[in-house]
């Protein structure tokens, strides 16, 4: 161990000298309180240490000890259902040790050393194994089969393996790696700033189906894709991420509360255990890892929290799972970078953020992807990253939003105007985009219906034309519009209110399957097409917009999945009848 002495304390930054043998990103223990820190800059024997705990009371002359190891996370059984802070300390265990007032310097292992897990081998003595191969498994929860994998840098022949109940510290199997015997346990360690290896990346041509209509239809995200959700306070970022955590077609959810307000994180911690997993009926926590890092915790710990979260997510990806990571929010993480950069007296970039803000964001997001994982097989795993951005006042021209948009392929722009009108999800269809839409088109056409792409294109076109017509309406009023243009506005209103608006708190409307989504699109466009034909044949626009079937089209989203096909046929029949009556000029 290398020891040094503090020469300066500036908030979360501690300068220590005498650490010539230490390395960048080594973890250090600061003072006799054993505060956790990480070396982020070296000048000769002088190190700048980012301290992840409150530094009040520290002063020059106190000791700094380098552990010689980089900041790492423990990966093994016990991750699922746990709540960690930004450097993977289990909050429940810390509270048990120190009470409700968290003490500084508390040392508790990330994974329980007492709990025993039943290990079932899947290889035998004499088998050749390489890094990433499954050695056995632990049934961690009712829905998560936790694969015990050989650490990425190991390889050899299995010489000993035992089924039974073990703690994460017990030796479970041994391999001969050619230069000796390696004893291995249920857990492994991995440095958070280094991405876990994989064989190769796959193209993003399979969607991550979310059941949220505005996302799946207009702005889809691919499995292994990256998306940003920028929006002002109160526009629904957290609810969007909750909906994705609950309904996205992902096996594992990693939720990072990075510098969020304490009350928001409390809501997450209270709600997630109560939420029922729609696929299993069990608690959503049985496939979730939470990382809680609130705005009143030391600012430096925010910087580590997203790396901790994505390393845990990569570990489950390596098992062959589809993982969705929610980072809420990267703006607070960037504030931590700005704070540390200022303390280090670096040359500031735009708005005081460090000049390397963009590259740090890119390093984080590029760890997402759909990949063939390490190992002797051809197992596929995927890690999708959805990052919330909280620009001050919703102004996405600020540096964090702009740096994020240069990296991500999906932009779900939340609009305070829509939120004010109680239109949720408040994703603005005119400013949002998905660069995955073209590469996912074939999958949607084959899986959801041959006309999916055509229907989606028509919906987008009507919404864009509505924006132009509304400018005219503002200038000269609705009466100046022609009947076909008024019909177009009515169709656009139906798309907005009946299709894009989705109630997260309604048991039926909260999730819409792709089969039901395509039926909803067909209904709205059937109304538009048949009404257009009726107008050309002499029907009045007033009769068309007041047809009773329009209300049933609007209520179709509340139809349960098992009744959707019958209801669809009935509405189509009623629509056809209403159109005929409108043409005949019959009074209702």
């Amino acid at each position: 161990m290398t020891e040094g002495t503090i020469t300066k304390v500036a908030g979360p930054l501690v300068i220590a000298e005498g650490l010539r043998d230490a390395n960048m990103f080594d973890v250090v223990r600061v003072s006799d309180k054993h505060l956790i820190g990480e070396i982020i800059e070296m000048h000769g024997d002088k190190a700048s240490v980012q301290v992840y705990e409150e530094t009040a009371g520290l002063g020059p002359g106190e000791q700094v000890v380098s552990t010689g190891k980089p900041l790492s996370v423990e990966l093994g059984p016990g991750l699922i259902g746990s709540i960690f802070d930004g450097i993977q300390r289990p909050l429940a265990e810390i509270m048990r040790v120190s009470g409700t007032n968290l003490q500084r310097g508390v040392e508790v292992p990330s994974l329980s050393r007492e709990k025993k897990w039943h290990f079932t081998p899947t290889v035998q003595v004499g088998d050749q194994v390489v890094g990433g191969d499954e050695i056995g498994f632990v049934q961690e929860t009712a829905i998560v089969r936790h694969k015990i994998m050989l650490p990425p840098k190991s390889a050899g022949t299995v010489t000993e393996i035992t089924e039974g109940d073990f703690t994460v510290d017990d030796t479970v199997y041994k391999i001969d790696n050619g230069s000796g015997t390696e004893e291995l346990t249920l857990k492994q360690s991995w440095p958070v700033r280094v991405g876990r290896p994989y064989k190769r990346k796959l193209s993003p041509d399979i969607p991550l189906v979310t059941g949220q209509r505005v996302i799946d239809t207009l702005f889809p995200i691919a499995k292994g894709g990256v998306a940003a959700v920028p929006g002002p306070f109160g526009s629904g970022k957290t609810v969007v991420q909750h909906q994705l955590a609950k309904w996205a077609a992902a096996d594992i959810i990693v939720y990072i509360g990075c510098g969020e307000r304490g009350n928001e994180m409390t809501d997450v911690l209270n709600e997630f255990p109560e939420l029922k997993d729609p696929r299993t009926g069990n608690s959503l926590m049985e496939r979730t890892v939470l990382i809680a890092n609130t705005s009143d915790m030391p600012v430096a710990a925010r910087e580590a929290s997203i790396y901790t979260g994505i390393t845990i997510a990569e570990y489950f990806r390596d098992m062959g799972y589809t993982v969705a990571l929610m980072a809420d929010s990267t703006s607070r993480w960037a504030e931590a970078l700005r704070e540390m950069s200022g303390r280090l007296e670096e040359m500031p970039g735009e708005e005081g953020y460090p000049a390397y803000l963009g590259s740090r964001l890119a390093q984080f997001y590029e760890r997402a992807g759909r990949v063939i994982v390490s190992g002797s097989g051809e197992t596929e795993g995927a890690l999708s990253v959805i990052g919330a951005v909280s620009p001050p006042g919703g102004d996405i021209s600020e540096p964090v939003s702009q740096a994020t948009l240069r990296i991500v392929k999906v932009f779900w722009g939340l609009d305070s105007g829509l939120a004010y009108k109680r239109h949720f999800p408040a994703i603005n269809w005119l400013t949002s985009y998905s660069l995955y839409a073209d590469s996912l088109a074939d999958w949607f056409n084959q899986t959801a219906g041959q006309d999916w792409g055509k229907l989606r294109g028509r919906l987008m076109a009507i919404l864009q034309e509505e924006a132009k017509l509304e400018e005219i309406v503002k200038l000269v009023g609705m009466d100046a519009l022609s009947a076909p243009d008024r019909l177009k506005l009515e169709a656009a209103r139906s798309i907005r209110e009946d299709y894009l608006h989705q109630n997260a708190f309604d048991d039926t409307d909260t999730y819409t399957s792709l089969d039901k989504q395509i039926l909803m699109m067909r209904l709205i466009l059937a109304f538009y097409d048949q009404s257009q034909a009726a107008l050309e044949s002499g029907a009045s626009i007033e009769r068309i917009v007041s047809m009773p079937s329009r209300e049933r089209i609007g209520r179709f989203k509340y139809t349960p999945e098992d009744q959707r096909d019958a209801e669809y046929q009935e509405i189509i029949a009623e629509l056809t009848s209403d159109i005929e009556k409108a043409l005949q000029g019959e009074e209702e």
Side-chain angles (χ1 to χ4, degrees):
M1 286 190 180
T2 307
E3 293 186 11
T5 307
I6 294 176
T7 59
K8 177 185 173 184
V9 180
L13 178 70
V14 166
I15 309 293
E17 59 183 22
L19 292 168
R20 185 175 296 279
D21 295 332
N23 299 308
M24 276 284 285
F25 300 124
D26 274 1
V27 171
V28 298
R29 291 288 180 173
V30 180
S31 84
D32 56 0
K33 297 181 177 68
H34 299 288
L35 308 184
I36 299 175
E38 184 184 21
I39 296 175
I40 55 171
E41 195 175 86
M42 292 287 296
H43 294 288
D45 71 340
K46 192 172 281 189
S48 299
V49 176
Q50 176 170 262
V51 182
Y52 293 129
E53 299 183 78
E54 180 57 56
T55 56
L58 290 189
E62 296 195 58
Q63 191 181 50
V64 175
V65 180
S66 170
T67 62
K69 296 177 183 175
L71 183 65
S72 302
V73 288
E74 289 186 348
L75 304 168
L79 288 171
I80 297 292
S82 294
I83 302 164
F84 300 105
D85 73 355
I87 48 176
Q88 211 206 5
R89 294 182 301 179
L91 292 176
E93 188 62 19
I94 290 178
M95 190 175 79
R96 193 180 66 79
V97 172
S98 68
T100 50
N101 294 321
L102 300 186
Q103 297 167 9
R104 295 188 290 172
V106 174
E107 289 188 57
V108 291
S110 300
L111 301 176
S112 170
R113 296 300 191 260
E114 284 81 42
K115 184 163 184 180
K116 292 201 168 186
W117 303 92
H118 185 78
F119 170 74
T120 305
T122 52
V123 297
Q124 299 173 339
V125 172
D127 286 354
Q128 293 283 336
V129 288
V130 297
D133 278 350
E134 183 183 344
I135 303 297
F137 68 90
V138 164
Q139 195 65 43
E140 187 168 357
T141 68
I143 49 177
V144 176
R145 183 179 186 264
H146 191 119
K147 297 178 185 176
I148 305 302
M149 301 170 292
L150 190 66
K153 294 176 182 174
S154 299
T157 308
V158 178
T159 58
E160 190 180 315
I161 192 163
T162 314
E163 179 171 0
D165 295 332
F166 302 96
T167 67
V168 293
D169 270 343
D170 294 336
T171 298
V172 176
Y173 62 103
K174 298 177 183 176
I175 63 166
D176 181 355
N177 59 18
S179 57
T181 298
E182 205 174 331
E183 298 186 351
L184 294 148
T185 64
L186 296 179
K187 69 173 171 62
Q188 51 181 278
S189 185
W190 191 263
V192 298
R193 296 181 187 276
V194 179
R196 286 176 64 88
Y198 52 84
K199 279 186 182 174
R200 64 182 183 278
K201 224 165 201 175
L202 302 173
S203 61
D205 51 16
I206 299 176
L208 181 71
V209 178
T210 66
Q212 310 307 300
R213 295 187 290 269
V214 65
I215 292 174
D216 290 343
T217 304
L218 301 186
F219 313 112
I221 179 174
K223 267 188 185 176
V226 288
V229 195
F233 176 76
S235 59
K237 293 186 295 296
T238 304
V239 174
V240 167
Q241 290 196 316
H242 281 203
Q243 284 294 92
L244 295 177
K246 189 176 181 184
W247 294 106
D251 304 306
I252 305 289
I253 303 296
V254 178
Y255 190 97
I256 308 169
C258 178
E260 282 302 288
R261 296 169 187 82
N263 60 332
E264 286 191 20
M265 241 6 260
T266 303
D267 283 347
V268 172
L269 299 180
N270 285 336
E271 284 173 20
F272 267 54
E274 297 296 321
L275 288 176
K276 289 284 178 283
D277 185 342
R279 294 185 291 179
T280 65
N282 298 339
S283 168
L284 191 63
M285 283 300 288
E286 291 197 9
R287 60 183 180 94
T288 303
V289 182
L290 288 179
I291 294 172
N293 185 258
T294 58
S295 51
D296 63 341
M297 289 180 176
V299 69
R302 294 182 201 173
E303 207 263 332
S305 63
I306 66 167
Y307 295 114
T308 298
I310 202 159
T311 306
I312 292 171
E314 284 176 333
Y315 174 64
F316 285 105
R317 175 209 69 191
D318 290 348
M319 296 182 195
Y321 288 125
T322 297
V323 185
L325 180 139
M326 316 288 163
D328 187 11
S329 87
T330 53
S331 295
R332 312 268 188 270
W333 170 78
E335 284 169 11
L337 279 187
R338 179 167 63 181
E339 163 107 3
M340 294 310 299
S341 176
R343 303 266 184 197
L344 290 166
E345 299 174 7
E346 294 172 338
M347 183 68 75
E350 193 180 350
E351 291 189 24
Y353 287 102
Y356 47 78
L357 171 66
S359 65
R360 289 284 180 89
L361 273 168
Q363 285 168 15
F364 168 65
Y365 280 111
E366 74 181 4
R367 289 170 71 171
R370 188 165 68 94
V371 302
I372 298 297
V373 301
S374 298
S376 49
E378 287 285 299
T379 305
E380 185 183 301
L383 167 54
S384 310
V385 176
I386 295 109
V389 187
S390 311
D395 175 20
I396 63 165
S397 65
E398 56 88 42
V400 182
S401 299
Q402 288 302 306
T404 303
L405 293 184
R406 283 195 287 272
I407 300 158
V408 301
K409 300 287 194 296
V410 180
F411 168 60
W412 297 321
L414 296 177
D415 189 315
S416 56
L418 288 174
Y420 183 73
K421 294 174 187 172
R422 319 314 294 165
H423 178 107
F424 292 106
I427 294 173
N428 188 315
W429 48 87
L430 297 175
T431 57
S432 303
Y433 61 80
S434 169
L435 301 182
Y436 295 121
D438 290 342
S439 58
L440 298 175
D442 288 345
W443 188 95
F444 278 114
N445 287 334
Q446 289 169 16
T447 307
Q450 284 297 326
D451 54 346
W452 177 279
K454 184 180 173 187
L455 295 173
R456 174 187 181 273
R458 292 194 63 197
L459 254 61
M460 289 291 284
I462 291 171
L463 289 169
Q464 285 164 352
E465 285 170 29
E466 179 201 31
K468 295 175 190 170
L469 289 172
E470 280 191 332
E471 292 299 319
I472 298 171
V473 170
K474 284 174 187 172
L475 288 171
V476 294
M478 181 71 79
D479 295 339
L481 290 182
S482 64
D485 283 345
R486 280 186 64 188
L487 177 63
K488 201 169 283 179
L489 283 180
E490 286 295 323
R493 185 165 71 88
S494 185
I495 293 168
R496 286 188 285 106
E497 295 179 4
D498 304 336
Y499 192 79
L500 299 182
H501 180 275
Q502 192 165 354
N503 187 349
F505 300 101
D506 183 89
D507 289 344
T508 303
D509 196 32
T510 185
Y511 176 88
T512 308
S513 68
L514 294 181
D515 291 336
K516 187 174 172 185
Q517 287 183 43
I518 202 165
L519 292 180
M520 292 175 73
M521 286 193 276
R522 285 173 182 160
L523 275 179
I524 292 168
L525 291 171
F527 158 73
Y528 180 57
D529 291 340
Q530 292 189 35
S531 299
Q532 220 172 11
L535 278 179
E536 290 169 5
S537 301
S540 75
I541 185 69
E542 283 77 15
R543 289 192 185 283
I544 285 172
V545 298
S546 59
M547 292 188 301
S549 55
R550 289 202 64 202
E551 190 178 335
R552 283 191 76 177
I553 291 172
R555 288 204 310 265
F556 183 64
K557 61 183 175 183
Y558 300 113
T559 303
E561 291 280 346
D562 58 348
Q563 299 168 25
R564 65 168 193 249
D565 294 330
E567 179 71 4
Y568 172 77
Q569 296 299 339
E570 285 182 24
I571 295 173
I572 287 290
E574 186 177 336
L575 175 64
T576 305
S577 169
D578 284 348
I579 291 287
E580 288 173 1
K581 289 176 184 175
L583 281 169
Q584 293 163 6
E586 291 180 13
E587 291 291 334
E588 282 298 308

